[in-house]
Amino acid sequence: MKIRILVMLACTVFSVHASLADDTIKRSDYQRPEAIPAPDSNPLTIEKTTLGKALFFDPRLSRDKGMSCATCHSPDHRWSDGRVVPLGSEELEQPRRTPTVMNSAWLKALMWDGRANSLEAQAVLPITTPHEMNYNMDELVQRLGEIKGYRPLFESAYGDAEITTQRIAMALATFQRTLVSNVSSFDRWVEGDDDAISVSAQRGFQVFNNKAQCAACHKSWRFTDDSFHDIGLDSPDLGRGNTIPIEVTIMQHAFKTPTLRDLPENGPFMHDGSMTNLEQVIKHYEDGGLKRPSLSKEMSPFELTEQQKADLIAFLKTLNGGPLALSPPELPEE
Amino acid sequence: MNRQVTLWLMTIACIMSTLILPVASAEQAGDSGPVVHNMSLTHHDFEDWSFTPSANDTLAITNKSDVAHSIYVTYPDGKVVNLGVQLPGETVSLTIPAAGDYLLQCWIHPVTRAEMTVAP
């Protein structure tokens, strides 16, 4: 009889130990990477970053010289624009909120519908989109060639002053790769500082990973799986379904999982900017979203207590590392 | 009493070994005909496999992750075959029609991909 009790005790100890180990594993799942990745074809350099920064903030990249990349991806708005409908998209039938460009070095698919597969490919899209910067790359190359101040920047970045579409895209991509979230209190907690986040936030972390199952899609240190899901928003926008064969039902109304780092205080949230606070967002997920064939299989209704909701929001706020210490550059002179 | 304890321990050992031992990709050998090759999806990856498939063999892909996948296969001639939405625990199958290089990807998770060369 004593032996049986000992065996049961051993099983209990094993079970508790496994539970603690599980908690440890989950913390380490969110560990920040040590270095910024870059493709072999476009390695990170200070010179390219300097050039890319100038290009990013320069409104002369748009046809009417009135809009730069930073107009919609502003450092004052967490590298987004804080708007429900992006500037210039007011007349579109299905406008999509401007996503942040922070931590984009790690993205495997860009744009809400994943239609660009690299930062280099993405960089030219806003420049040439009619309702955005409305320019074309040939004319832009010519215009930049006439700005004397750009010559030394291209020369430093590439060894000579030749300006090409590819070089513009590579420099813009390089600068964007350097926009990385600051270390937040959550990161310090992940690294072992148990007091870095409140007890409420720690409970929220458990809710995030367990009952609410947010981590099914908001994975890794960037809190995204770089994947596409229909979360059941009442929107006619087919998202990735516009470019994927119609028979792939699961991609209808599917959009890329956005990061949860450095969330703006008052949103807007979701791809269509339809929500302005985290309480609304949590309620949407509790309800499980609009039931339709494309609804993500990860969308299952659940119910949180008021305390659990408060804990979850407390946790999400620990992902805020604050604004980046970066000021706009002096633009190259004509 | 000792016999009871032994039975207890054997039962626990069996359960533990089931939980702990990895389930490796296995090749189910036939006499000389087509073979069923078992593959696994774990999280966002295809688990490494050690078999070399031949034309007319079958791939049986089991979703051992905790999320749904939707695998599609691009054939050497560019044809795309959808294996449908696959919930955790489910297995989908594909009979390989010919030799060549195949690409396996997931519609939901673009990072989930694997290249497979099929022998004649």
Side-chain angles (χ1 to χ4, degrees):
Chain A
M1 192 64 179
K2 280 182 182 172
I3 294 175
R4 184 179 293 186
I5 291 169
L6 278 172
V7 171
M8 289 172 70
L9 191 63
C11 286
T12 307
V13 169
F14 173 80
S15 164
V16 170
H17 178 75
S19 167
L20 289 173
D22 191 41
D23 179 53
T24 307
I25 288 168
K26 280 184 173 163
R27 271 212 225 187
S28 65
D29 283 348
Y30 294 94
Q31 206 154 31
R32 293 172 67 107
E34 291 181 1
I36 300 172
D40 292 341
S41 56
N42 190 22
L44 282 174
T45 65
I46 292 171
E47 294 79 10
K48 247 186 296 179
T49 304
T50 303
L51 170 61
K53 184 178 176 183
L55 292 167
F56 192 88
F57 282 88
D58 196 335
R60 291 170 291 188
L61 268 67
S62 61
R63 180 175 295 281
D64 66 3
K65 304 181 182 180
M67 178 186 274
S68 71
C69 305
T71 303
C72 296
H73 298 285
S74 164
D76 296 334
H77 293 283
R78 309 297 174 100
W79 302 89
S80 177
D81 58 6
R83 297 167 60 99
V84 174
V85 178
L87 204 61
S89 301
E90 294 84 352
E91 304 304 318
L92 294 184
E93 282 185 21
Q94 294 158 356
R96 296 170 186 167
R97 177 175 66 80
T98 304
T100 181
V101 292
M102 286 178 81
N103 309 317
S104 52
W106 287 266
L107 290 179
K108 306 292 190 299
L110 295 100
M111 318 298 276
W112 280 109
D113 54 10
R115 64 184 184 274
N117 61 9
S118 72
L119 269 173
E120 286 77 6
Q122 181 275 334
V124 299
L125 296 179
I127 297 173
T128 55
T129 298
H131 68 268
E132 295 184 359
M133 296 161 84
N134 191 29
Y135 212 16
N136 69 68
M137 296 309 294
D138 289 343
E139 287 183 72
L140 176 59
V141 166
Q142 189 177 345
R143 181 183 284 178
L144 293 183
E146 292 164 1
I147 301 172
K148 287 180 185 169
Y150 268 114
R151 287 179 198 160
L153 294 180
F154 274 90
E155 197 164 349
S156 295
Y158 298 108
D160 63 65
E162 186 188 6
I163 299 174
T164 65
T165 295
Q166 187 185 22
R167 286 181 170 186
I168 293 168
M170 287 168 67
L172 283 168
T174 299
F175 170 65
Q176 289 181 85
R177 286 195 175 96
T178 65
L179 303 176
V180 181
S181 289
N182 287 328
V183 171
S184 69
S185 53
F186 173 74
D187 295 315
R188 290 192 290 277
W189 184 69
V190 166
E191 290 301 321
D193 180 354
D194 290 339
D195 299 324
I197 64 174
S198 67
V199 173
S200 171
Q202 291 182 39
R203 287 195 305 263
F205 178 70
Q206 293 301 326
V207 173
F208 184 87
N209 281 283
N210 297 301
K211 191 170 183 181
Q213 283 295 305
C214 312
C217 301
H218 292 284
K219 291 175 182 291
S220 87
W221 76 280
R222 288 182 295 117
F223 293 89
T224 171
D225 57 359
D226 293 318
S227 300
F228 298 86
H229 307 272
D230 172 14
I231 58 166
L233 290 171
D234 188 8
S235 159
D237 192 344
L238 290 180
R240 193 158 172 79
N242 282 317
T243 55
I244 297 293
I246 190 80
E247 64 268 25
V248 186
T249 310
I250 200 77
M251 286 294 97
Q252 303 288 300
H253 306 285
F255 293 88
K256 191 178 64 180
T257 308
T259 181
L260 299 180
R261 279 196 177 260
D262 303 294
L263 290 175
E265 189 72 26
N266 299 310
F269 302 110
M270 313 313 219
H271 77 270
D272 56 1
S274 56
M275 297 184 192
T276 54
N277 60 64
L278 291 172
E279 286 81 1
Q280 279 180 297
V281 175
I282 292 171
K283 178 73 167 59
H284 171 78
Y285 285 110
E286 280 188 301
D287 293 344
L290 203 60
K291 305 291 177 291
R292 55 191 171 200
S294 56
L295 184 68
S296 169
K297 303 303 178 191
E298 319 311 330
M299 291 290 292
S300 299
F302 58 90
E303 191 174 346
L304 299 182
T305 64
E306 291 305 311
Q307 183 62 56
Q308 286 171 323
K309 290 178 198 174
D311 291 341
L312 186 52
I313 290 173
F315 161 66
L316 291 171
K317 289 185 174 175
T318 69
L319 308 181
N320 182 2
L324 303 186
L326 191 150
S327 52
E330 284 187 24
L331 295 181
E333 293 183 0
E334 302 273 346
Chain B
M1 176 65 83
N2 284 340
R3 192 173 176 178
Q4 255 187 322
V5 171
T6 307
L7 284 171
W8 259 79
L9 290 173
M10 283 174 68
T11 305
I12 291 170
C14 284
I15 293 169
M16 296 291 285
S17 63
T18 305
L19 289 172
I20 293 170
L21 287 178
V23 183
S25 302
E27 188 169 338
Q28 184 184 327
D31 291 338
S32 59
V35 171
V36 176
H37 301 284
N38 296 312
M39 297 177 67
S40 300
L41 276 163
T42 57
H43 295 289
H44 290 168
D45 299 307
F46 287 97
E47 205 169 55
D48 288 341
W49 65 87
S50 55
F51 57 82
T52 303
S54 299
N56 300 318
D57 285 354
T58 295
L59 298 177
I61 306 168
T62 301
N63 181 2
K64 291 181 180 172
S65 75
D66 54 2
V67 295
H69 286 282
S70 181
I71 301 301
Y72 64 103
V73 184
T74 306
Y75 286 11
D77 63 1
K79 180 183 174 186
V80 172
V81 172
N82 294 312
L83 303 187
V85 176
Q86 187 180 7
L87 297 176
E90 289 184 351
T91 300
V92 294
S93 295
L94 169 79
T95 298
I96 309 165
D101 294 329
Y102 289 73
L103 179 60
L104 291 79
Q105 294 171 276
C106 177
W107 288 117
I108 302 170
H109 312 97
V111 294
T112 304
R113 57 179 285 145
E115 293 173 13
M116 178 180 282
T117 299
V118 174

